Amino acid sequence: MSRLIPTGPEFIDIVLSKIQRKTPTVIHPNYKISRIRAFYMRKCKFAQDCFDEKLGQILTDFPKLDEIHPFYADLMNVLYDRDHYKLALGQINTARHLIDNVAKDYTRLLKFADSLYRCKQLKRAALGRMATIMKRQKDSLQYLEQVRQHLARLPSIDPNTRTLLVCGYPNVGKSSFMNKLTRAEVEVQPYAFTTKSLFVGHMDYKYLRWQVIDTPGILDHPLEQRNTIEMQSVTAMAHLRCCILFFMDLSEQCGYSVAEQCKLYHSIKALFVNKPTMLVINKIDVMRPDQLNSADKALIDQIVVKDNIPMVQLSCFTEEGVMDVRNMACDTLLAARVEQKMKNTNKMGDVINKLHLTTPAKRDDKERPAFIPEGVKNKIKYDTKDPNRKKLEKDLEVENGGAGVYNVDLKKLYKLENDEWKYDIIPEIMDGKNVADFIDPDIEEKLAALEEEEERLISQGFYNSDSDLEMDTEVDIRSNVREPRPKKVLDKETRSRLESRMPRKRTRSVSQGVNIARSQSVGTQLINNPTLSKRAKTSMRSQTRDRSVMGLSSGQKEVSLGMKAKTDRKKNLLAKAGEADRTIQTKMPKHLFAGKRGFASDRR
C-alpha cells in the first residue's frame, strides 16, 4: 500500500476534474439531439469508470485477512480490529456498486431526453448522486488511510524463515541482546515498555540468513486484560516457527522479582509447544544463578528440569556468553526444523522401503576378520612416522625446496607402453600439420656459416659508406664560396637618395610567367636526366619537396594535409542554426499550447 487514499471531498474533486480534462466540453448549435445525448451519456459513463477504478484500486491494494498468513491476520486484528477493517472495505465495495447502479439508471434515462436542457439536468443529477454517495464514505476512507500509514511502518517479517524470538518481562535486556546480534539499533532505555512494537533484525550464521525479532515486554495477567502492545508479542509467539529465548533478570533491576518472572513463564508456556525453547539468564555481571537464595533457585530448577529446557547465561554489558547463546539457539532451531521436516515428509516412507540392508548369516564358528592390504592401508592412514608408507607430493615438496621452488612433475603418472616415452617432446600442431616436419635439421649450421660470411665482409670493408667522399665534396664547396663583403653603413641622406632611384614593385607579365614555368620544366628534365649522379638528383629533389610532410608515410601525409586544409578553411559565419546550437527555436510549440479555452467555466 503506497498510494495515498484521499478524503471524500478530495475524491470528488479528483474525479470531476478528470471528467473535465478527458471528455469534450463544448456543444455547438448544429448538433443533433442524438449527438447531444451521446455527449452527456459519455460524461456519465466516464464518471462511473473513474469512481470504479479508484475504489477498485483501494479494495485490491488492501490485504484480505482470509488470504494472508495467520500471523499477519491476527496482528492486523490486534492493531486495527478485524471487524472495523472488514466493515470499512465492505462500505467501499457497496459504494462502488451504488455508483454503478446510478450510472446505469441515468444512462437509460438519457436515451429518452428530448432537449439539451433535459440532457444536461440528467447529467448533473447523476454526478450529484455519485458525489453524495462518496461524501458518505469519508469516515471509511479516513480510517483506511490511517491503516495504510500504519501498515507501511510495520516491519517485514517472514513467518517461515529461520527466526529467533526474544521475549520476557519489560526491561530485562531483550533489546540490548538484539543490538548485539544485529544492526537493528533498537532504542534501549532504563525504564519499562521502551519497545512498543515488533522490531526485526537480520544476521548470518553458517552461511544462512536469520531474522531476530524483539518483542515488547509482557506482564503476568490474563489474556483478556493485555493491551495492544503485549498482544503483539503473544501473536508472534503463537504463529511464528522460531526458537523462543525467554529472558530473565535475576538481579531484579527490571522491577520484577524472580518468582514473578517464573510465574509469567508458566502462564505463557502453552505458546511454546513444538518450538525449541531456551531459558536465558541475563545480567550475570550483577547476579548469577548460584548466588540466588534457595527458594528462587528452586523455581528456576523446576523450569529447567521439569520442562527439560536448557538454561544459558549471558551479560549484554560485558558481552560474556552472547555469541555462545546465539550459536546454541541457531543449532537447536536447525536440528528441530530438520526433525520436523522428516516427520512431515510423506516421501520418507517410500525412500526407506526402497533401502535394504543385508546382514550375512553366520555359517560356522570360524572368525573371518576384515583384511586390508598394506598398500591400501598406507593410502587410508597417513602416518608420518611410518617408514614403509608411500611418499606423498607434500613430502617431495618439502625435500625439494618447499612451496614456490618445487615444481610438480605431472608426466611421471603417464601410463604408456614404454616409460622412456614420458618425457618426449610433444609435437606442436598448426593447421593440421606437425611443425617439426617443416624445420630444416641443418638450420643451425647454415646460420653459423652466414654469420661467418658476415664477419668476413665487415672485415674487408664491404659495408663502408662513402661518408669520406661526402666530407671532401662539402669542403670543396665551402672553399669556393666567397666571404661576404662587409655591410656599408650609409648616412640618412645617401640612403634616401638610393631608395628614390630603386624601381617600384610590378606585377609579372605573361612572358615572365612563361619563363618561370619553363624554368620549372627544365628543372624536372634535369632531375630525370640519366647522366646526372644519384647524389645530384637527391639534392635537386629535396629543393622541390614540401618540408612540412618530410619523413612521414603516405597515410600520415594524407592526414597531415587534411588537417592543414581544415585549419586553413574560413569559418562559415552565415550558416543556419542547427540542433547543436543551444537555442530554443520554437518558443511556444503548438502541440503544447493549443487546445481548450483558457478562461474558467463550470461545464460539469
Side-chain angles (χ1 to χ4, degrees):
M1 278 299 300
S2 59
R3 296 180 180 85
L4 179 70
I5 298 177
T7 60
E10 291 175 350
F11 210 108
I12 296 170
D13 291 340
I14 291 170
V15 173
L16 294 183
S17 63
K18 188 174 182 180
I19 296 170
Q20 180 71 8
R21 286 183 288 109
K22 299 289 187 181
T23 58
T25 54
V26 181
I27 294 180
H28 295 284
N30 58 348
Y31 280 4
K32 295 182 180 179
I33 187 63
S34 59
R35 188 169 181 180
I36 295 173
R37 289 173 188 156
F39 179 91
Y40 286 108
M41 288 168 65
R42 180 178 178 183
K43 294 268 186 183
C44 293
K45 290 181 179 178
F46 190 81
Q48 175 196 358
D49 292 341
C50 290
F51 280 112
D52 200 52
E53 178 188 356
K54 296 288 183 183
L55 296 176
Q57 191 68 49
I58 293 174
L59 294 173
T60 304
D61 287 347
F62 275 94
K64 295 180 176 59
L65 298 182
D66 298 333
E67 298 178 0
I68 60 177
H69 194 274
F71 165 67
Y72 280 112
D74 283 358
L75 187 62
M76 292 187 68
N77 182 30
V78 169
L79 297 175
Y80 318 121
D81 193 349
R82 181 193 300 265
D83 296 336
H84 289 177
Y85 179 76
K86 286 190 172 183
L87 185 61
L89 291 179
Q91 289 179 348
I92 297 297
N93 192 27
T94 303
R96 184 175 63 165
H97 289 306
L98 290 177
I99 289 174
D100 291 345
N101 293 334
V102 169
K104 189 186 300 182
D105 294 342
Y106 278 89
T107 303
R108 189 183 300 114
L109 292 175
L110 277 169
K111 292 180 181 179
F112 302 101
D114 54 359
S115 65
L116 171 63
Y117 176 76
R118 290 194 178 182
C119 291
K120 185 175 182 179
Q121 292 302 106
L122 286 172
K123 186 266 299 185
R124 291 185 63 183
L127 297 185
R129 288 191 62 183
M130 293 179 188
T132 303
I133 293 171
M134 283 310 304
K135 285 180 182 178
R136 293 174 182 169
Q137 309 304 321
K138 63 177 183 178
D139 295 334
S140 299
L141 294 174
Q142 187 177 2
Y143 169 78
L144 290 176
E145 171 60 17
Q146 293 178 359
V147 172
R148 184 197 69 82
Q149 293 178 2
H150 198 274
L151 278 175
R153 294 193 295 267
L154 284 180
S156 178
I157 299 175
D158 187 358
N160 299 316
T161 191
R162 296 163 292 275
T163 306
L164 303 182
L165 192 141
V166 184
C167 63
Y169 257 102
N171 205 21
V172 295
K174 301 186 297 297
S175 300
S176 301
F177 179 73
M178 172 91 163
N179 292 339
K180 295 295 180 183
L181 296 186
T182 67
R183 291 183 292 180
E185 296 182 1
V186 185
E187 184 182 3
V188 177
Q189 296 294 341
Y191 49 81
F193 287 106
T194 307
T195 305
K196 297 182 180 179
S197 62
L198 298 176
F199 282 90
V200 180
H202 295 85
M203 67 174 186
D204 291 330
Y205 178 71
K206 288 187 176 181
Y207 303 103
L208 297 174
R209 198 69 171 164
W210 297 71
Q211 68 179 4
V212 184
I213 300 179
D214 180 20
T215 62
I218 308 174
L219 299 180
D220 183 23
H221 45 235
L223 187 65
E224 303 83 26
Q225 299 178 8
R226 290 197 168 99
N227 56 19
T228 304
I229 297 175
E230 295 175 279
M231 287 303 298
Q232 295 181 54
S233 301
V234 173
T235 304
M237 288 186 287
H239 291 286
L240 295 180
R241 298 172 53 193
C242 58
C243 178
I244 304 292
L245 302 178
F246 185 82
F247 270 63
M248 290 185 64
D249 178 12
L250 303 184
S251 65
E252 301 182 358
Q253 293 179 351
C254 61
Y256 304 96
S257 63
V258 176
E260 290 175 332
Q261 296 179 53
C262 294
K263 188 177 179 182
L264 172 66
Y265 170 81
H266 290 294
S267 64
I268 64 173
K269 72 176 182 179
L271 302 172
F272 305 159
V273 179
N274 298 328
K275 296 175 186 175
T277 308
M278 295 175 60
L279 181 65
V280 181
I281 307 299
N282 195 10
K283 303 181 184 180
I284 59 175
D285 54 321
V286 181
M287 175 73 74
R288 292 182 178 270
D290 52 5
Q291 299 174 355
L292 290 173
N293 55 44
S294 58
D296 294 339
K297 195 171 184 179
L299 293 174
I300 294 178
D301 292 341
Q302 182 182 2
I303 296 175
V304 173
V305 176
K306 185 178 180 180
D307 296 339
N308 193 18
I309 291 177
M311 182 181 68
V312 292
Q313 305 177 29
L314 62 88
S315 172
C316 295
F317 181 72
T318 61
E319 298 187 5
E320 179 187 352
V322 174
M323 291 297 110
D324 296 336
V325 171
R326 184 204 69 171
N327 298 343
M328 184 176 178
C330 293
D331 293 338
T332 305
L333 181 60
L334 284 176
R337 286 169 67 92
V338 171
E339 182 181 356
Q340 188 175 7
K341 195 173 293 185
M342 294 282 288
K343 289 181 180 178
N344 298 337
T345 304
N346 297 327
K347 296 181 180 179
M348 288 302 299
D350 299 336
V351 174
I352 292 174
N353 291 334
K354 295 178 182 178
L355 299 177
H356 176 64
L357 181 61
T358 302
T359 305
K362 194 172 183 180
R363 63 176 183 267
D364 52 24
D365 297 334
K366 187 177 180 181
E367 292 293 333
R368 295 180 177 85
F371 173 72
I372 302 176
E374 291 297 328
V376 178
K377 281 184 179 180
N378 293 335
K379 291 182 179 179
I380 295 175
K381 188 176 180 181
Y382 181 71
D383 187 6
T384 56
K385 298 180 181 180
D386 186 5
N388 299 324
R389 69 177 181 83
K390 183 181 178 181
K391 279 193 176 182
L392 304 179
E393 286 293 334
K394 189 174 183 64
D395 303 328
L396 297 175
E397 180 183 358
V398 173
E399 293 175 1
N400 295 296
V405 178
Y406 173 69
N407 192 13
V408 180
D409 186 7
L410 300 177
K411 295 184 178 181
K412 67 181 181 182
L413 301 177
Y414 287 178
K415 296 181 179 179
L416 303 175
E417 294 182 4
N418 190 352
D419 290 341
E420 297 178 357
W421 297 348
K422 289 183 179 180
Y423 298 97
D424 289 352
I425 298 174
I426 299 176
E428 297 182 12
I429 306 299
M430 183 176 180
D431 297 334
K433 299 176 182 179
N434 191 353
V435 178
D437 296 340
F438 298 89
I439 296 177
D440 190 355
D442 302 332
I443 190 169
E444 294 183 357
E445 298 176 359
K446 293 179 181 179
L447 179 61
L450 284 175
E451 290 177 351
E452 291 177 0
E453 183 180 1
E454 188 77 11
E455 292 176 358
R456 181 175 54 80
L457 292 175
I458 292 172
S459 62
Q460 294 177 1
F462 182 77
Y463 295 110
N464 289 346
S465 62
D466 51 355
S467 58
D468 300 336
L469 180 62
E470 290 179 359
M471 292 178 62
D472 297 342
T473 308
E474 186 177 357
V475 170
D476 295 341
I477 293 172
R478 290 186 178 182
S479 62
N480 294 333
V481 175
R482 293 182 297 174
E483 291 292 331
R485 289 180 295 177
K487 187 176 181 181
K488 292 183 179 181
V489 180
L490 301 176
D491 56 353
K492 185 175 182 182
E493 183 179 355
T494 307
R495 189 166 59 251
S496 62
R497 187 169 64 252
L498 291 174
E499 288 177 354
S500 62
R501 294 179 184 179
M502 292 176 64
R504 295 182 179 178
K505 283 186 177 180
R506 292 180 298 175
T507 58
R508 292 174 181 172
S509 62
V510 177
S511 60
Q512 289 174 338
V514 171
N515 293 334
I516 293 170
R518 188 177 296 160
S519 66
Q520 291 177 353
S521 64
V522 169
T524 306
Q525 293 174 2
L526 288 174
I527 292 174
N528 297 330
N529 191 356
T531 60
L532 289 176
S533 64
K534 185 177 181 181
R535 185 178 302 162
K537 289 183 180 181
T538 305
S539 62
M540 292 182 69
R541 282 196 191 96
S542 64
Q543 295 175 0
T544 61
R545 193 177 298 168
D546 187 2
R547 294 182 178 273
S548 64
V549 293
M550 287 180 64
L552 300 178
S553 64
S554 60
Q556 293 173 340
K557 191 183 299 182
E558 291 180 4
V559 174
S560 177
L561 294 175
M563 294 172 65
K564 181 181 178 184
K566 193 174 293 184
T567 54
D568 293 343
R569 188 189 304 159
K570 292 182 179 180
K571 294 182 179 180
N572 190 3
L573 300 178
L574 300 178
K576 293 182 180 181
E579 295 179 354
D581 298 315
R582 297 185 178 180
T583 57
I584 301 175
Q585 304 299 328
T586 307
K587 304 296 183 184
M588 296 178 65
K590 186 169 183 178
H591 72 281
L592 290 180
F593 291 91
K596 298 182 181 179
R597 297 173 299 168
F599 60 88
S601 61
D602 187 8
R603 289 289 177 181
R604 293 175 180 172

